[in-house]
Amino acid sequence: MYEVLIIGSGAAGLSAAIYSARYNLSTIVLGKDFGLASEAPIVENYPGIREIQGLKLIQEMQEQAKSLGAELILGEEVTRIKREKKYWLAETHSEKYLGKAVIIATGSRKRKLGIKGEEEFVGRGVSYCAICDAPFYRGKVVSVVGGGNSALTSAILLSEFAEKVYLIHRRTEFRAEPILVDRLMNLKKEGRVEMKLGYIPREIVGTDVVEYLHLKKVDEEGVEEKLKTEGIFVEIGEVPNSELARNLGLKLDEEGYILVKEDMSTNLEGVFAAGDVTTGSNKLKQIITACAEGAIAATSAYRYITRKYQ
Amino acid sequence: MTDWELERIRMKKYMEMLRKMENKGKGEERGVRKLVKVEVNDGNFEEEVIERSKDIPVVVDFWAEWCMPCLALAPVLEKLAKEYNGRFVLAKLNVDRNPQTASRYGIMSIPTVIMFKNGKPVDSFVGVMPEPMIREWLDRNL
Ligand SMILES: Cc1cc2nc3c(=O)[nH]c(=O)nc-3n(C[C@H](O)[C@H](O)[C@H](O)COP(=O)(O)OP(=O)(O)OC[C@H]3O[C@@H](n4cnc5c(N)ncnc54)[C@H](O)[C@@H]3O)c2cc1C
């Protein structure tokens, strides 16, 4: 029996664990992996640290949470959360964990393109993680699909390895930080990045590995263009991992984010949520906001447990 | 406490942390008695994987330090290797340091996991899979 069960081991879950452990609550974090922040090649906007690899930052948070006494179980997928009398039960494939309060910090996952050839070529040219796979594309031609922060970050990183990077975006403007857009424009000037604006991907074609990406102009019918490319990096945004929350009976907004109040409480007493999976922080999806929400959620869990059990 | 004492405690903690990190995933590891895990490289791949797989299936984990899904998958594979206690050998290949083998098997995304039997690759998967699915994959192929 734990006082606080934290589901999800990204920035939000680990920050919640740090706070929860410092409230002297017995705390366990159940998580699949290192979370999305670990994919950031460099993080330059976490105050106090001028620049750090995303993975390094997450590993530091893990060590910090553990050294304060929180238990951390990685490689564990929670398959269900349910009420068990006045407690909460989290089930994984092999274990069950009981807690007085739950913090759901399951983040989000990459959106798929949903086009022909995408699934077939995963691992053979199609990738959802630029920092993992960039070195395999040294001297090759690659494409990045998307126009937000993650897409631009990926394109900038890939330009260090690839001979050429195409950036395919359905709009003609980017929804990314201006500093990233400036860097991209410089790479364009140097001829290392070529923009394909106003295009959407239609099909991925190849025999053994990816050879072509078929594109279509957004506003013209039927006109297709074949782009010769060996790698396709998909960065068209994220979808919240809120299936567990939905099955538990938490209220979600129309996009699937967990509805939270200012104290990170949800519509169920004793269940809190934090990070990219929530409607909190004006939906700014960043490490600093994930951490802040984790801190608030743990504080609310502490207040809830003290009120209810002491 | 004096500053000096604090500094010593801090150093001690730091050293412990380093030691923990160093001990992670080094060299050969044995389960109760059987060999369950080896580290392989471009130089010994032929012997450690191809040749060995003629006696016992070898599951090669292609990984790198900069790949966090690899770091998440590793403990699951290691746990299963120990549990299967010798029914297969887990071989870790760092693609960063061993580009030859990685390109020979056409690795373009990591983690990629390939099972070798009788000197040949027989099945593979890419990316992090939940433990029950990896079990199924192993049972299907062993
Ligand atoms: C390429 C890239 C670069 C970025 N760069 C920056 C940057 O420079 N600065 C910045 O501030 N932000 C950056 N971000 C955004 C930042 O990564 C996120 O805002 C942050 O990771 C959110 O943290 P989180 O803990 O809410 O979610 P996540 O980091 O997504 O963590 C959620 C965790 O929960 C786990 N999980 C989900 N479901 C389950 C389940 N059922 N059972 C167990 N575990 C589960 C997931 O596997 C994951 O580990 C970047 C994102 C990307 C993709």
Side-chain angles (χ1 to χ4, degrees):
Chain A
M1 166 77 133
Y2 293 88
E3 280 168 309
V4 181
L5 301 177
I6 299 174
I7 321 297
S9 45
L14 293 170
S15 164
I18 289 167
Y19 274 75
S20 175
R22 283 171 58 94
Y23 283 118
N24 273 342
L25 299 170
S26 60
T27 304
I28 188 164
V29 182
L30 305 168
K32 278 196 283 202
D33 50 38
F34 294 69
L36 281 188
S38 69
E39 288 187 25
I42 39 169
V43 175
E44 300 170 309
N45 54 6
Y46 195 77
I49 305 175
R50 208 167 303 168
E51 53 171 61
I52 186 169
Q53 240 185 310
L55 174 60
K56 190 95 201 10
L57 181 60
I58 291 296
Q59 285 175 323
E60 290 291 339
M61 290 186 198
Q62 291 176 348
E63 290 303 325
Q64 193 174 353
K66 281 195 279 185
S67 72
L68 288 164
E71 259 181 76
L72 175 60
I73 306 206
L74 283 185
E76 278 277 66
E77 181 178 28
V78 174
T79 50
R80 190 154 79 130
I81 308 170
K82 62 172 194 173
R83 205 173 185 119
E84 183 90 353
K85 304 214 173 88
K86 58 179 184 170
Y87 304 121
W88 300 98
L89 187 76
E91 298 177 357
T92 68
H93 295 287
S94 52
E95 298 281 344
K96 291 187 164 105
Y97 303 87
L98 201 58
K100 289 180 180 168
V102 187
I103 298 174
I104 300 180
T106 43
S108 49
R109 61 175 175 273
K110 302 276 172 80
R111 193 186 292 280
K112 304 251 156 91
L113 286 168
I115 59 173
K116 215 171 135 206
E118 182 180 18
E119 280 195 13
E120 186 188 338
F121 288 110
V122 168
R124 289 181 296 139
V126 172
S127 173
Y128 302 91
C129 176
I131 194 172
C132 306
D133 299 339
F136 298 115
Y137 293 89
R138 210 167 257 129
K140 296 185 174 168
V141 176
V142 301
S143 306
V144 175
V145 187
N149 284 333
S150 305
L152 268 57
T153 305
S154 299
I156 293 163
L157 174 75
L158 282 160
S159 74
E160 302 270 326
F161 297 88
E163 183 189 303
K164 180 173 189 175
V165 180
Y166 286 108
L167 185 74
I168 296 136
H169 182 36
R170 59 188 310 155
R171 282 178 249 275
T172 46
E173 271 146 43
F174 297 109
R175 269 193 302 189
E177 294 170 358
I179 187 168
L180 294 175
V181 178
D182 289 349
R183 286 179 197 167
L184 190 78
M185 289 306 164
N186 284 336
L187 290 167
K188 185 187 164 194
K189 261 185 236 141
E190 291 169 24
R192 287 154 70 189
V193 171
E194 184 179 329
M195 315 273 191
K196 284 281 181 189
L197 303 182
Y199 282 88
I200 47 172
R202 284 298 290 273
E203 189 180 342
I204 297 165
V205 182
T207 39
D208 192 30
V209 292
V210 169
E211 289 164 25
Y212 292 97
L213 176 61
H214 290 194
L215 302 177
K216 183 191 156 306
K217 271 218 142 184
V218 171
D219 43 17
E220 285 167 45
E221 268 313 306
V223 194
E224 287 215 5
E225 194 172 315
K226 280 190 193 174
L227 208 63
K228 193 156 173 45
T229 186
E230 291 165 277
I232 298 167
F233 290 81
V234 183
E235 288 292 353
I236 52 169
E238 283 94 31
V239 262
N241 291 321
S242 52
E243 291 74 11
L244 282 176
R246 173 180 284 127
N247 294 338
L248 175 63
L250 292 193
K251 288 207 181 102
L252 311 179
D253 77 353
E254 64 287 347
E255 290 177 287
Y257 293 94
I258 301 173
L259 279 164
V260 287
K261 298 185 198 86
E262 244 179 294
D263 63 353
M264 295 297 132
S265 62
T266 65
N267 58 304
L268 293 181
E269 211 200 11
V271 180
F272 305 87
D276 280 8
V277 73
T278 77
T279 54
S281 302
N282 209 15
K283 283 199 179 173
L284 177 63
K285 306 289 177 216
Q286 290 284 291
I287 300 166
I288 190 166
T289 44
C291 289
E293 290 184 24
I296 299 170
T299 305
S300 299
Y302 170 68
R303 290 199 182 130
Y304 164 78
I305 290 168
T306 345
R307 197 163 15 104
K308 187 145 176 159
Y309 293 89
Q310 268 141 36
Chain B
M1 240 187 275
T2 64
D3 280 355
W4 179 77
E5 275 172 307
L6 263 181
E7 194 52 39
R8 263 191 38 193
I9 293 171
R10 206 173 287 144
M11 273 310 286
K12 213 174 125 203
K13 272 200 163 173
Y14 180 60
M15 295 306 287
E16 268 168 17
M17 220 168 85
L18 279 185
R19 217 168 302 130
K20 256 190 250 156
M21 284 178 170
E22 272 169 12
N23 286 341
K24 256 186 229 153
K26 271 235 165 126
E28 287 196 354
E29 219 176 279
R30 280 163 201 276
V32 183
R33 44 209 161 82
K34 305 231 170 67
L35 177 70
V36 294
K37 187 180 127 193
V38 285
E39 308 233 329
V40 299
N41 54 48
D42 281 347
N44 67 10
F45 196 83
E46 202 59 39
E47 178 193 338
E48 292 282 357
V49 176
I50 306 291
E51 285 307 314
R52 192 198 297 274
S53 75
K54 293 174 183 166
D55 298 327
I56 179 174
V58 180
V59 172
V60 185
D61 175 14
F62 293 84
W63 74 287
E65 271 138 25
W66 29 258
C67 156
M68 52 303 136
C70 301
L71 304 183
L73 180 68
V76 182
L77 288 177
E78 280 168 32
K79 177 180 149 198
L80 289 172
K82 283 205 186 110
E83 189 189 309
Y84 279 63
N85 191 27
R87 286 177 59 205
F88 70 88
V89 172
L90 176 65
K92 311 261 309 168
L93 183 110
N94 185 320
V95 298
D96 206 15
R97 288 189 220 129
N98 303 287
Q100 268 175 22
T101 311
S103 86
R104 175 167 161 204
Y105 290 100
I107 306 299
M108 299 170 91
S109 270
I110 46 172
T112 288
V113 177
I114 305 183
M115 161 113 52
F116 285 79
K117 276 165 99 172
N118 301 316
K120 289 192 198 73
V122 291
D123 202 1
S124 65
F125 67 86
V126 178
V128 181
M129 283 208 301
E131 192 186 313
M133 281 172 73
I134 302 178
R135 261 178 216 284
E136 248 172 57
W137 181 82
L138 286 169
D139 294 340
R140 196 166 61 236
N141 286 300
L142 284 176

